[in-house]
Amino acid sequence: MKRRNVIKSLSILPFTGAIAAKASTIHTKEATPADAPKRDLFKELGVTPVINASVTMTFLSGSLMLPEVLEAINSTSKDFANMYELQDKVGGKIAEMLHVEAAMVTSGAACAMVLGTAACITGLDEAKIKMLPNHPGPRPEVIMQKTHRYLFDQAVSTTGAKIIEVTGADEMAKAINSNTVMALFFNAAEKSSITHENFLKVAKAKNIPTFLDAAADVPPVENLFKFQKMGFDLVTFSGGKMMRGPQSAGLLFGRKDLITAARANHSPNEAPIGRPMKVNKEEMFGMYCALKSYLERDHKKEWEDWLQRTKTIGTKLETLPTVKTKTWVDPGPANAFPSLFVNWDAAKIRTTPKDVVAALKAGTPSIVANHRGDSLQIGVVLLRTDQIDVVANRVKEILQKAVTA
Ligand SMILES: *Cc1c(COP(=O)(O)O)cnc(C)c1O
């Protein structure tokens, strides 16, 4: 096309959106005849597709996005949007859905931790926002229970804050001083010396904002409402775990002034600490759709489907000599859903759960499962419907080979 013609056709575009859309459909059709093989990017790049018979893990790409999320990503990719307005609208809607003052989409729960901490340090002080993670005075302090320390708290120290470890409510009260900016509660910690309620009581008495990390703590869906009701000022959940939004999206919600400050520390602003943690437009729309869909889902039915999956796989495996299976529900709060435990008599089936896990991984298709104690653990919640039998058959095949005569 000559330049003049390009300009000509561009100039009519805004008035002929419908025609342009139609034309592009036709063009796509011409480019890929119906009988042409579909492009397989896994194959093209030599990437191994994996069946996840475990739990959501970032190294294994989180979860599979819901069809409505993919639809949202595609349908919103054709127009530009002002990112401030988009975060306003998406955040506003999410806040409404979760019964909180304000909310925002972050690039995962880890980003929410950086932004939440940054918000508590800077407020709306532009000079401070520009300076982070450096501070002219003493380092800001974030209180955590000693038993709550975990790998993800590096997201807190990324802001320049220092983590102060405490044990028990008295020690927490004593540790709070003029440098304290926030108190962080890791919801899925194995041990707590301070309950949620006491933690809130101590922090509130000293006017310290509280942040709860519940990244992997749905299901149950009620958890999306529970902690703001308890009184936590900020709460985060991952978007790309069981909510099945984009893997790189997450939710931060709670007090309006803190969300406003968190946003001031985030993209699309150019200077702040959160600038390298941007969320694209499509993922914001996608995260909204994932949350909406999660809230509207029939959770009871989904749970029954998961139980049925463990039964289907269990029944198939128990046709092998000495094999016993058991449905187990993780008490949570993280990964609180059913999986299947498989055991057998090692004298009859000469292999170990660890070796079965290795064989599953090395096979085609590659399947990721776990061994736990002396059991094989098969996760069911992340399987596509068509993968339930595939997993059952592969495990059966591997065990069958090891049966002694
Ligand atoms: C997964 C997880 C995170 C990080 O969440 P992303 O959404 O992957 O950034 C933080 N904290 C806990 C407890 C998690 O399980």
Side-chain angles (χ1 to χ4, degrees):
M1 209 188 266
K2 286 219 175 71
R3 189 181 142 75
R4 211 177 45 154
N5 290 336
V6 172
I7 291 166
K8 214 168 129 194
S9 62
L10 278 178
S11 71
I12 59 165
L13 257 174
F15 307 104
T16 55
I19 293 168
K22 209 170 180 185
S24 80
T25 318
I26 291 164
H27 177 76
T28 312
K29 236 185 192 158
E30 279 171 359
T32 14
D35 53 349
K38 243 170 117 190
R39 188 175 184 184
D40 184 343
L41 284 163
F42 275 90
K43 214 172 228 170
E44 189 171 319
L45 294 171
V47 176
T48 312
V50 175
I51 295 179
N52 188 350
S54 181
V55 295
T56 57
M57 292 174 287
T58 290
F59 95 90
L60 211 59
S61 63
S63 57
L64 299 181
M65 283 184 274
L66 291 166
E68 48 268 51
V69 174
L70 290 168
E71 225 269 311
I73 288 172
N74 279 321
S75 71
T76 58
S77 66
K78 297 174 185 83
D79 291 288
F80 290 87
N82 178 306
M83 295 302 283
Y84 293 102
E85 183 195 5
L86 179 58
Q87 187 74 278
D88 275 348
K89 298 283 161 62
V90 166
K93 203 74 192 169
I94 292 173
E96 204 179 287
M97 286 152 78
L98 296 180
H99 312 153
V100 281
E101 286 176 14
M104 66 184 293
V105 179
T106 62
S107 65
C111 165
M113 291 168 72
V114 174
L115 297 183
T117 312
C120 292
I121 296 170
T122 65
L124 291 175
D125 186 325
E126 273 179 41
K128 282 188 182 168
I129 290 171
K130 269 203 180 137
M131 223 180 285
L132 230 56
N134 301 306
H135 308 276
R139 281 174 75 186
E141 296 178 2
V142 170
I143 305 271
M144 279 186 81
Q145 300 186 49
K146 196 179 169 91
T147 55
H148 284 208
R149 292 301 307 272
Y150 60 154
L151 288 172
F152 286 111
D153 66 36
Q154 192 173 5
V156 169
S157 19
T158 296
T159 63
K162 189 161 113 190
I163 292 170
I164 305 295
E165 296 178 359
V166 299
T167 303
D170 288 345
E171 213 175 291
M172 178 174 170
K174 278 191 205 121
I176 294 174
N177 64 66
S178 59
N179 298 323
T180 310
V181 291
M182 190 180 93
L184 175 71
F185 198 103
F186 168 30
N187 196 48
E190 276 178 26
K191 281 198 195 106
S192 294
S193 58
I194 314 169
T195 61
H196 291 80
E197 290 78 6
N198 284 337
F199 192 86
L200 288 167
K201 207 190 274 174
V202 173
K204 289 208 184 304
K206 308 240 177 183
N207 213 15
I208 300 299
T210 48
F211 186 121
L212 181 109
D213 171 11
D217 301 353
V218 285
V221 62
E222 290 78 21
N223 278 356
L224 281 167
F225 302 90
K226 184 174 171 182
F227 303 104
Q228 59 270 43
K229 225 187 267 171
M230 251 184 198
F232 280 92
D233 297 306
L234 289 171
V235 178
T236 186
F237 282 88
S238 290
K241 291 178 180 168
M242 292 301 281
M243 263 190 275
R244 296 183 60 185
Q247 193 205 357
S248 43
L251 298 174
L252 176 64
F253 56 84
R255 236 169 72 187
K256 189 168 174 79
D257 61 323
L258 292 176
I259 296 295
T260 305
R263 285 184 57 181
N265 278 284
H266 197 213
S267 178
N269 300 299
E270 278 149 359
I273 193 157
R275 181 59 170 78
M277 303 165 205
K278 68 159 76 158
V279 183
N280 69 15
K281 172 191 85 210
E282 292 80 3
E283 285 180 320
M284 286 209 195
F285 281 113
M287 188 62 240
Y288 159 70
C289 288
L291 176 65
K292 189 168 187 313
S293 165
Y294 189 72
L295 294 176
E296 288 169 358
R297 190 170 314 164
D298 184 341
H299 295 275
K300 198 163 161 262
K301 192 162 155 247
E302 183 177 58
W303 191 268
E304 276 158 15
D305 172 51
W306 289 339
L307 292 176
Q308 187 53 52
R309 288 168 173 224
T310 63
K311 265 188 216 134
T312 304
I313 299 173
T315 307
K316 200 163 251 176
L317 297 180
E318 287 192 357
T319 58
L320 292 169
T322 76
V323 169
K324 294 249 179 323
T325 65
K326 187 178 73 186
T327 299
W328 181 73
V329 178
D330 193 307
N335 303 321
F337 40 71
S339 62
L340 186 73
F341 274 74
V342 188
N343 287 85
W344 56 88
D345 181 347
K348 188 69 197 167
I349 301 181
R350 294 198 173 277
T351 185
T352 63
K354 193 171 171 216
D355 288 341
V356 175
V357 167
L360 284 168
K361 183 167 179 259
T364 307
S366 178
I367 300 169
V368 170
N370 296 96
H371 55 92
R372 196 152 158 167
D374 52 3
S375 305
L376 171 68
Q377 184 183 13
I378 302 173
V380 296
V381 302
L382 300 174
L383 300 179
R384 292 195 321 247
T385 317
D386 61 296
Q387 293 173 335
I388 300 165
D389 282 339
V390 175
V391 169
N393 292 339
R394 270 299 289 153
V395 175
K396 189 174 172 182
E397 191 178 45
I398 292 164
L399 291 176
Q400 180 86 63
K401 268 194 204 144
V403 174
T404 55

